[in-house]
Amino acid sequence: RMTKYYVVEVEYCGPNPYDVQNVDIDRYEITTTPPRISATGDVCTYGFLGTYNNVARYALGEYDSLAAAEYSVQTESLRGHQYRRDPEEDLPPDVQAVYRLGRYAPVTDDVLGQWLENSVDISADDTDTDLVRQAGALRYELEEEGHYCVTPARMLSALETLRDKARRGIDD
């Protein structure tokens, strides 16, 4: 019997999607184990598999080769996006490949905080518009310098936190 390969989309669907612990859950897995519907245990090669702990799973097809499965992920699901592949040594035995959106891994809260404190000068007078303007450029800069990615919402939130700190400093 020839080995079959299955593509499964894993997607975070819970609260606070931009929090660092949730932002990198989304992925496409290529596995040699047929996906099963969580409610019934039935094998399902295309369709909704279920949700558990705020994570939804979808079967996206069955393929005769790893190359065909990878091609489908790269040309259909990830078409037009930058993506990265997890290192093979990090994968469970039945998982052949994992693809995630984005060129780089998400930045941790600590690294983002340190980087911003060294990279920007946020004052108590900065308006929301000022912060929005800075957020885009800073996201690009962080990616180029630090090889991390950050969502627009998360970057803006971090800048607002710095502005709030500056405002509290004035009030004290």
Side-chain angles (χ1 to χ4, degrees):
R1 173 161 145 59
M2 199 167 85
T3 301
K4 295 285 188 180
Y5 297 86
Y6 306 91
V7 176
V8 175
E9 178 182 7
V10 178
E11 182 180 52
Y12 180 76
C13 57
N16 307 315
Y18 301 116
D19 284 2
V20 71
Q21 70 269 20
N22 302 329
V23 78
D24 210 31
I25 290 175
D26 295 359
R27 63 190 179 274
Y28 295 90
E29 295 179 345
I30 299 173
T31 178
T32 53
T33 303
R36 295 183 177 276
I37 297 171
S38 55
T40 63
D42 296 342
V43 169
C44 173
T45 58
Y46 202 89
F48 180 64
L49 298 170
T51 304
Y52 179 74
N53 271 356
N54 295 323
V55 177
R57 298 179 72 242
Y58 303 87
L60 299 180
E62 175 185 74
Y63 300 88
D64 291 331
S65 70
L66 178 58
E70 288 183 312
Y71 182 79
S72 83
V73 169
Q74 293 169 5
T75 59
E76 293 169 23
S77 304
L78 293 171
R79 181 186 199 142
H81 295 284
Q82 292 187 334
Y83 59 87
R84 66 190 189 283
R85 188 174 169 172
D86 285 7
E88 289 179 25
E89 60 269 15
D90 295 348
L91 305 177
D94 67 325
V95 176
Q96 304 301 301
V98 171
Y99 289 89
R100 296 179 196 269
L101 273 174
R103 201 164 43 151
Y104 302 118
V107 67
T108 64
D109 290 337
D110 290 345
V111 169
L112 179 59
Q114 289 171 356
W115 186 82
L116 283 172
E117 287 192 14
N118 295 324
S119 302
V120 297
D121 189 23
I122 300 291
S123 80
D125 300 329
D126 285 334
T127 65
D128 289 345
T129 305
D130 294 332
L131 298 184
V132 169
R133 279 196 197 110
Q134 287 188 51
L138 288 168
R139 285 182 61 228
Y140 176 79
E141 221 175 288
L142 176 68
E143 195 168 280
E144 294 306 305
E145 283 178 22
H147 302 287
Y148 289 108
C149 67
V150 62
T151 63
R154 200 154 153 247
M155 179 61 83
L156 190 56
S157 173
L159 293 175
E160 288 167 346
T161 300
L162 286 176
R163 180 186 60 193
D164 292 347
K165 266 190 196 172
R167 286 180 175 169
R168 279 195 309 274
I170 288 172
D171 296 340
D172 291 346

